[in-house]
Amino acid sequence: MYSEEKRHFKRYEVQSECEVRLGTETYKGRIVDYSDGIGAVFENAQQLVPGKQVDIKVFEPEMEIKGEVVWVKKLGNELWAGFRRLDDFQGSLRNFALADLLIGLQKSKRTGILWVESGSIVKKVYIKNGAMIYASSNAKEDRLGKILLKSGKISLEDYNKAESLFRKSGEKLGKILVDIGCLKPKETFFAVRHQIEQILLSLFAIEDGSFKFLEGPLPVEELITLQLSPSDIIYRGIKKVNNVQHIKQATPGLGAVLEISTSPTNIFQDVVLDEFDKRILSHIDGTCSLNKILSLSLSNDS
């Protein structure tokens, strides 16, 4: 049973016109928030009742989705309604922060593939029960050889030799690197793990792109399933975000008093904090404002 509080994804507040089509009828209203679902207000829409399937057009941000009415509430002359998506969860990274998507998929324990596209670049995140277990990319800089070369794990000579053999044989690059003595067999797993982490972290730098989550069983036989810490990946990825709009949306006012949540669902597990972030965390005590926390954390005497 869906309710107003059933959405696991972060809600983005917005005031935008929308049109909801139910059969031959079209109702005009305004969107008040959106995430993997939509909340909207109408002045006259008596036919919108729970269970009805509709087509929704949102004008800003531009979205067209198929949805189902899951709840309605009458407030004076207005009808408030909540819709859940019936089609694939998709949109623009200008309107959805990647961290919010990954946190939402984690909390809702979904299984499927998250596609992220930016121009000709396509990156895929394989998610099982909310956990990121694998990632792939068609970007040249995300290839295993490039990442190992950049991190100093192999030399340029080794890289060129391995790439040449890869083009001739088509074998996996990891096996080739082992065969020519650049990697030990047990190092291959950690090299691939590092590659997957770098692909995941690179996603957070994409601002002008689109995403689509295709829910369903994973091609497990084709994957090297990794036990990654989704919380740590998201934490490290957020620190790479330069989108001022997303940062402002996620940050309370400087006068806001912060405290550590006691709810397990709101606490990131397995996060490795650096020294500066540990300092920030030490000042969050339910009495200090964000402005004071930043001032104390930046002080050499803290």
Side-chain angles (χ1 to χ4, degrees):
M1 183 71 180
Y2 284 84
S3 70
E4 295 170 81
E5 304 303 323
K6 195 64 177 177
R7 280 185 268 167
H8 295 282
F9 289 71
K10 176 181 173 65
R11 299 185 187 205
Y12 297 92
E13 294 183 0
V14 67
Q15 292 292 328
S16 171
E17 294 183 350
C18 70
E19 291 181 351
V20 174
R21 189 167 66 253
L22 173 61
T24 59
E25 298 292 328
T26 298
Y27 301 100
K28 294 184 182 296
R30 71 179 190 276
I31 301 295
V32 293
D33 65 37
Y34 67 91
S35 60
D36 54 331
I38 285 178
V41 180
F42 304 87
E43 289 188 1
N44 186 17
Q46 293 87 349
Q47 298 303 314
L48 293 180
V49 295
K52 291 291 186 180
Q53 296 186 10
V54 297
D55 293 302
I56 306 171
K57 182 176 182 179
V58 182
F59 294 97
E60 183 58 40
E62 292 185 11
M63 291 189 289
E64 292 191 19
I65 73 171
K66 292 186 179 297
E68 177 186 356
V69 183
V70 289
W71 61 265
V72 295
K73 182 164 56 178
K74 188 76 173 176
L75 291 177
N77 295 325
E78 295 182 327
L79 180 76
W80 290 61
F83 304 87
R84 72 177 178 95
R85 298 187 74 129
L86 298 177
D87 52 4
D88 294 325
F89 185 26
Q90 57 187 313
S92 169
L93 291 177
R94 294 178 180 176
N95 306 320
F96 293 83
L98 180 71
D100 295 337
L101 296 176
L102 294 175
I103 292 171
L105 292 170
Q106 182 185 20
K107 286 186 175 181
S108 55
K109 299 186 182 301
R110 297 193 186 182
T111 295
I113 302 175
L114 177 66
W115 290 64
V116 177
E117 299 186 23
S118 180
S120 61
I121 300 300
V122 179
K123 304 193 183 195
K124 294 185 283 186
V125 182
Y126 296 77
I127 297 173
K128 184 176 182 180
N129 298 327
M132 294 175 280
I133 63 170
Y134 190 74
S136 64
S137 169
N138 68 350
K140 291 181 179 180
E141 61 269 21
D142 290 333
R143 291 177 182 173
L144 180 60
K146 284 281 189 182
I147 289 176
L148 291 174
L149 177 62
K150 184 178 179 180
S151 62
K153 300 294 184 182
I154 62 174
S155 67
L156 179 59
E157 181 182 355
D158 292 334
Y159 168 78
N160 290 332
K161 183 177 180 181
E163 281 289 313
S164 177
L165 291 171
F166 170 75
R167 287 191 293 269
K168 291 177 182 177
S169 67
E171 290 186 312
K172 290 186 176 180
L173 192 63
K175 181 179 183 305
I176 292 174
L177 289 168
V178 170
D179 290 343
I180 64 177
C182 295
L183 291 179
K184 296 178 181 178
K186 65 179 181 180
E187 292 177 326
T188 307
F189 172 82
F190 296 102
V192 173
R193 181 188 180 91
H194 179 64
Q195 177 194 20
I196 301 309
E197 288 181 345
Q198 293 306 303
I199 292 173
L200 291 171
L201 292 173
S202 72
L203 290 168
F204 289 84
I206 299 176
E207 296 183 6
D208 188 10
S210 62
F211 73 89
K212 176 184 286 189
F213 180 67
L214 301 180
E215 194 160 10
L218 299 176
V220 179
E221 65 280 359
E222 299 177 16
L223 304 180
I224 302 174
T225 303
L226 302 175
Q227 296 298 320
L228 301 169
S229 168
S231 301
D232 196 55
I233 292 292
I234 294 170
Y235 160 73
R236 290 160 59 192
I238 287 174
K239 297 179 74 172
K240 293 180 176 291
V241 174
N242 292 316
N243 187 309
V244 176
Q245 180 181 355
H246 285 169
I247 293 173
K248 284 184 176 180
Q249 287 177 338
T251 306
L254 290 176
V257 175
L258 304 184
E259 61 182 342
I260 297 175
S261 174
T262 58
S263 171
T265 60
N266 292 331
I267 299 174
F268 271 6
Q269 307 293 338
D270 301 322
V271 172
V272 180
L273 300 177
D274 60 30
E275 291 304 315
F276 181 69
D277 289 343
K278 288 179 182 178
R279 193 187 309 169
I280 292 176
L281 191 62
S282 71
H283 296 304
I284 300 177
D285 58 4
T287 63
C288 289
S289 67
L290 176 57
N291 192 42
K292 185 175 181 180
I293 291 169
L294 292 174
S295 177
L296 290 171
S297 302
L298 292 169
S299 171
N300 293 327
D301 297 328
S302 63

